[in-house]
Amino acid sequence: MKMTMSQKLLASKAGLKSVKAGQLIMADVDLVLGNDITSPVAIGEFAKFGRKDVFDKDKIALVPDHFAPNKDIKAAEQCKCMREFARANDITNYFEVGKMGIEHALLPEQGLVTAGDLVIGADSHTCTYGALGAFSTGVGSTDMACGMATGKAWFKVPTAVKFNLTGKFNKNIGGKDLILHIIGMIGVDGVLYQSMEFTGEGVKNLTIDDRFTVANMAIEAGAKNGIFEVDDITLDYLKAHGKKTPQIFKADPDAEYERTIDIDLSTIKSTVAFPHLPENTKTPEEWGKVKIDQVVIGSCTNGRLSDLRKAASILKGHEISSDVRCIVLPATQQIYKDAMKEGILETFIDSGCVVSTPTCGPCLGGHMGILAENERAISTTNRNFVGRMGHVKSEVYLAGPEVAAASAIKGYLADPNEGDN
Amino acid sequence: MKAKGKTYRYKDNVDTDVIIPARYLNTSVASELAAHCMEDIDLDFSKTVEKGDIIVADKNFGCGSSREHAPIAIKESGVSCVIARTFARIFYRNSINIGLPILECPEACDNIEQGDVVEVDFETGKIKNLTKNKEFQAEPFPPFMQGLIESGGLAAYMSKQGDM
């Protein structure tokens, strides 16, 4: 049959025995996601599909996370538009402030995504759920409206690049270093329109949170989706969080890939993407002394409990530099609560960090940590485009939580594996 | 259908954060978005763009976020067409879904400079640089996408299909 994991999953959702790369298909979706920025546009479009009701009130998730808690009056109107739509349509999975979290951390935590699902979301980082063996991809508001009305989405079946992972990470190295390393190697359009399929004996050495981080940034290499082979680690996670029954799709032994890239995890170093593209990656010997004004630890990429633990373990017993503001954003209410119970939040506060309610806020220059002209931030987020976190002349350096925490202490870009951190 | 206008020429990886910065995404009103279109890489764009004008860029145009506000801002600015070497995938499908014509044509990108007057025939995929008197052929859309565009976008297309 020669199909990749992604192709097999898509064929199944399109009700076809097999599909080929390049084929245009109409497929059934298992979940449609929107946030407070993209949903208002989708809600406007929804009426044009001529359906009175949404296709399935249990298969739509609406999360006010970008400019929520409301950052200004206009944002409040957008959140209100989404809230009223959710109420009018009796949407089961609407998450109000107080229950909400950053969508891509929240949905898996709430058991709304399982292996074998086809998920579309009007947010580019919807590709995160590939960590669980789902085919999930970002779409626009019109696609979201179509999904809400009909339960369908159109796809061009992608070709794939296989990432064959071996070995295991060294100390203070994680999923963020791996995905930045990959984007640095292949570029921001390195896998344009393609699937990134992660496999190999090294996968078992990646935690589920490492996998979320890697799949989350597949879009930063231009990919349609990133997907991990399902193993016991996935199934354990799904069992702990799952309300849905997983379905496992494995690539055929003779599946065709555009290319295969072998990566030995033990060779990955602390990796940082310099402005203004995620592909501008450098390892510690190339960093030089980059003075910083702000550190952001959080986001759909690195705001999970294990990320906060990693950062806190480096910060414990230290104070952050007096030249730095360090903003920590646990990605969901549950993560916030768990971090509180573990004493992690206390560590952050004792170190001089501020701990925020869950929000995407600073990642996209929305609120809760905007940069002024000529300011620099090290951030565990996913994009460092021009003006991404504020002023058009500000700079964002992308890194994992270990580098971010070590840098907060020093006041400049710092390798957690060097010195006394 | 044909489009004709002066061109705005941009380079690689024009991302959605510069097409419409997130600080303006607290609204989805098209005219407000258009007023800030491209402002982080080209402050003059929104002041000088005229109906029918064409954007020409190099690879990976529209990379980044899924915000449909990006093609909406471009379309509302009056831009008739975007030509690029390649497009990022979400921007590509969003443009088709909202009816903003986009064409991939590396050869045209090699031969169009800022300010050149360009004419595009959407039926044949022919791109003419009237300033330089050169002609190029873009890849035609597959029939499914042609159908989407002819229907006037995804909503109209799906309505025509009935309960599929």
Side-chain angles (χ1 to χ4, degrees):
Chain A
M1 303 269 276
K2 296 187 177 179
M3 285 192 286
T4 65
M5 273 186 272
S6 303
Q7 291 167 353
K8 265 192 172 168
L9 196 156
L10 286 174
S12 157
K13 300 296 173 185
L16 300 169
K17 258 189 153 156
S18 67
V19 292
K20 280 186 180 160
Q23 190 176 342
L24 285 150
I25 57 163
M26 196 59 86
D28 291 322
V29 298
D30 296 293
L31 190 68
V32 180
L33 164 71
N35 58 51
D36 52 304
I37 290 183
T38 56
S39 298
V41 179
I43 290 163
E45 285 293 308
F46 177 78
K48 296 183 190 165
F49 284 83
R51 310 286 170 100
K52 205 171 118 265
D53 301 311
V54 298
F55 87 108
D56 189 333
K57 70 184 181 67
D58 298 331
K59 292 186 178 176
I60 293 166
L62 299 177
V63 188
D65 59 357
H66 277 60
F67 290 169
N70 305 337
K71 83 175 181 97
D72 56 27
I73 295 169
K74 284 182 171 177
E77 294 293 340
Q78 304 242 82
C79 289
K80 187 177 168 197
C81 164
M82 183 160 87
R83 181 181 303 114
E84 287 176 351
F85 179 85
R87 282 184 187 151
N89 289 279
D90 197 20
I91 301 296
T92 314
N93 297 301
Y94 168 71
F95 296 91
E96 190 54 271
V97 170
K99 298 229 182 296
M100 72 83 164
I102 296 175
E103 50 200 341
H104 308 308
L106 184 69
L107 266 50
E109 174 194 277
Q110 296 293 319
L112 295 176
V113 184
T114 192
D117 273 357
L118 174 55
V119 182
I120 59 166
D123 186 279
S124 60
H125 294 107
T126 302
C127 50
T128 309
Y129 320 127
L132 301 175
F135 183 101
S136 62
T137 190
V139 295
S141 296
T142 300
D143 278 312
M144 179 191 167
C146 179
M148 290 198 298
T150 66
K152 309 254 183 201
W154 65 270
F155 296 99
K156 189 170 166 188
V157 176
T159 57
V161 173
K162 180 166 151 181
F163 292 82
N164 182 39
L165 308 180
T166 57
K168 65 203 275 197
F169 290 134
N170 291 314
K171 192 184 165 206
N172 287 328
I173 305 294
K176 186 61 160 287
D177 301 293
L178 171 60
I179 189 63
L180 288 175
H181 169 80
I182 290 172
I183 297 166
M185 180 168 53
I186 66 176
V188 292
D189 63 346
V191 285
L192 202 58
Y193 307 122
Q194 298 178 310
S195 300
M196 299 171 88
E197 301 212 338
F198 297 92
T199 179
E201 54 97 7
V203 169
K204 68 173 189 301
N205 296 323
L206 297 180
T207 64
I208 203 76
D209 285 358
D210 282 327
R211 299 178 200 187
F212 280 128
T213 303
V214 170
N216 172 273
M217 288 188 71
I219 179 69
E220 310 317 333
K224 183 166 218 149
N225 70 311
I227 189 167
F228 277 84
E229 223 170 53
V230 174
D231 62 8
D232 289 343
I233 295 172
T234 329
L235 294 173
D236 286 347
Y237 179 90
L238 290 171
K239 208 171 165 189
H241 296 265
K243 294 172 185 162
K244 299 165 92 174
T245 312
Q247 194 184 357
I248 300 172
F249 292 92
K250 281 200 165 139
D252 290 319
D254 56 352
E256 288 175 350
Y257 299 92
E258 288 277 309
R259 57 182 164 145
T260 298
I261 295 174
D262 294 312
I263 296 173
D264 177 355
L265 300 176
S266 70
T267 65
I268 305 292
K269 298 177 184 173
S270 294
T271 304
V272 171
F274 278 46
H276 288 284
L277 281 176
E279 71 185 24
N280 295 337
T281 55
K282 295 182 198 288
T283 45
E285 66 281 5
E286 308 167 295
W287 288 351
K289 192 155 182 175
V290 179
K291 225 180 148 316
I292 52 166
D293 305 285
Q294 179 166 298
V295 175
V296 173
I297 299 171
S299 84
C300 59
T301 315
N302 282 117
R304 297 179 181 81
L305 187 61
S306 63
D307 298 311
L308 303 186
R309 277 186 192 136
K310 287 173 184 173
S313 74
I314 287 169
L315 285 165
K316 198 165 178 70
H318 296 271
E319 275 191 35
I320 63 166
S321 161
S322 56
D323 294 334
V324 168
R325 296 100 57 181
C326 181
I327 302 163
V328 181
L329 305 101
T332 67
Q333 290 288 82
Q334 187 62 49
I335 294 167
Y336 198 112
K337 207 168 137 185
D338 291 344
M340 192 162 65
K341 279 188 193 158
E342 283 189 25
I344 292 173
L345 300 190
E346 200 176 338
T347 301
F348 286 131
I349 292 167
D350 288 345
S351 302
C353 308
V354 67
V355 180
S356 158
T357 190
T359 179
C360 306
C363 171
L364 74 163
H367 61 151
M368 288 303 295
I370 306 301
L371 298 174
E373 184 171 2
N374 296 327
E375 284 194 328
R376 270 193 205 122
I378 292 180
S379 180
T380 68
T381 55
N382 42 55
R383 289 196 177 122
N384 56 352
F385 299 149
V386 169
R388 174 74 178 177
M389 200 174 271
H391 196 280
V392 67
K393 285 186 183 156
S394 60
E395 292 183 346
V396 178
Y397 292 69
L398 303 175
E402 300 92 338
V403 171
S407 303
I409 297 167
K410 298 275 191 192
Y412 53 86
L413 193 48
D415 181 5
N417 287 325
E418 203 178 273
D420 57 358
N421 285 312
Chain B
M1 209 177 92
K2 280 187 184 177
K4 186 176 147 187
K6 69 176 184 297
T7 52
Y8 288 83
R9 188 72 176 81
Y10 302 109
K11 295 180 179 165
D12 289 341
N13 303 314
V14 173
D15 61 77
T16 53
D17 277 283
V18 296
I19 295 173
I20 181 69
R23 59 185 177 273
Y24 303 118
L25 295 184
N26 54 3
T27 179
S28 37
V29 177
S31 57
E32 288 183 45
L33 298 172
H36 300 289
C37 190
M38 309 302 281
E39 87 174 21
D40 282 1
I41 52 164
D42 185 355
L43 262 177
D44 292 331
F45 177 84
S46 65
K47 294 175 204 149
T48 58
V49 68
E50 293 172 300
K51 197 168 165 51
D53 284 351
I54 292 168
I55 289 176
V56 181
D58 292 321
K59 64 173 190 164
N60 205 23
F61 186 88
C63 62
S65 130
S66 68
R67 61 189 72 156
E68 207 159 288
H69 311 65
I72 290 172
I74 290 174
K75 194 179 175 191
E76 182 68 16
S77 298
V79 167
S80 61
C81 177
V82 184
I83 303 168
R85 282 177 208 281
T86 54
F87 290 93
R89 58 160 289 273
I90 306 179
F91 184 90
Y92 184 91
R93 66 185 292 143
N94 284 349
S95 299
I96 289 171
N97 285 344
I98 69 158
L100 171 69
I102 56 171
L103 294 168
E104 289 189 344
C105 187
E107 205 194 349
C109 297
D110 286 337
N111 290 285
I112 296 174
E113 289 176 292
Q114 171 87 15
D116 286 356
V117 175
V118 168
E119 187 178 80
V120 181
D121 185 327
F122 296 119
E123 272 153 41
T124 61
K126 282 214 170 14
I127 300 168
K128 280 187 200 168
N129 184 338
L130 301 176
T131 306
K132 294 195 163 59
N133 198 22
K134 286 183 179 170
E135 191 172 304
F136 320 99
Q137 182 66 48
E139 281 289 313
F141 286 110
F144 168 80
M145 287 183 200
Q146 193 67 44
L148 261 179
I149 294 163
E150 279 166 14
S151 304
L154 184 63
Y157 178 83
M158 291 299 280
S159 301
K160 266 192 211 165
Q161 308 297 308
D163 281 322
M164 58 180 293

